[in-house]
Amino acid sequence: MNMIVIYEVNVFVQRDIESEYREWLLGHIEEIIALPGFLDAHCFDVQQEATADSVAICMQYRLESQAALDDYFARHAPRLRADGIDRFGDRFKANRRVLINGKDFTK
């Protein structure tokens, strides 16, 4: 069985920058999935986490291995994270987690 590695990023974006953030996010996701070891990505609105002041968005990136994720963290993550901070400052927050050894129940 192949290991499944999911890198999940949950962001909470102030509503007054939502449109600009979502536009930037599309290119950001495309840049990430073009990196070695990334297979695909899914982006979701998280309804139960939204508030009057912010929206919640969840990105899940599927990777071919833990080594690919480790390479991303070492070589690419600092630059990509800094880009979002440079553009939007403290008007968004991000939480990240890594999910491994998942079982695929696809039909």
Side-chain angles (χ1 to χ4, degrees):
M1 176 176 100
N2 290 338
M3 179 187 289
I4 298 172
V5 178
I6 303 289
Y7 175 48
E8 181 178 277
V9 181
N10 291 283
V11 294
F12 305 89
V13 181
Q14 292 179 7
R15 287 194 182 270
D16 62 335
I17 64 162
E18 177 184 359
S19 178
E20 181 183 357
Y21 188 90
R22 285 182 186 273
E23 184 177 318
W24 169 82
L25 184 60
L26 292 175
H28 180 74
I29 291 170
E30 288 176 1
E31 187 174 357
I32 291 174
I33 64 172
L35 295 171
F38 280 79
L39 302 173
D40 56 31
H42 298 274
C43 185
F44 304 93
D45 289 340
V46 185
Q47 293 178 344
Q48 66 270 31
E49 298 289 332
T51 68
D53 298 328
S54 68
V55 296
I57 305 167
C58 174
M59 285 73 63
Q60 292 185 339
Y61 301 93
R62 192 167 56 100
L63 293 99
E64 63 187 25
S65 67
Q66 181 66 47
L69 184 59
D70 292 343
D71 181 67
Y72 165 76
F73 287 147
R75 296 181 47 207
H76 304 285
R79 171 183 55 83
L80 291 165
R81 290 177 184 178
D83 182 44
I85 293 167
D86 290 346
R87 290 173 187 260
F88 302 105
D90 64 354
R91 300 174 80 190
F92 78 102
K93 293 185 296 183
N95 298 322
R96 298 166 180 88
R97 65 184 183 168
V98 176
L99 310 170
I100 59 170
N101 295 330
K103 172 125 177 72
D104 188 354
F105 289 94
T106 306
K107 289 183 179 183

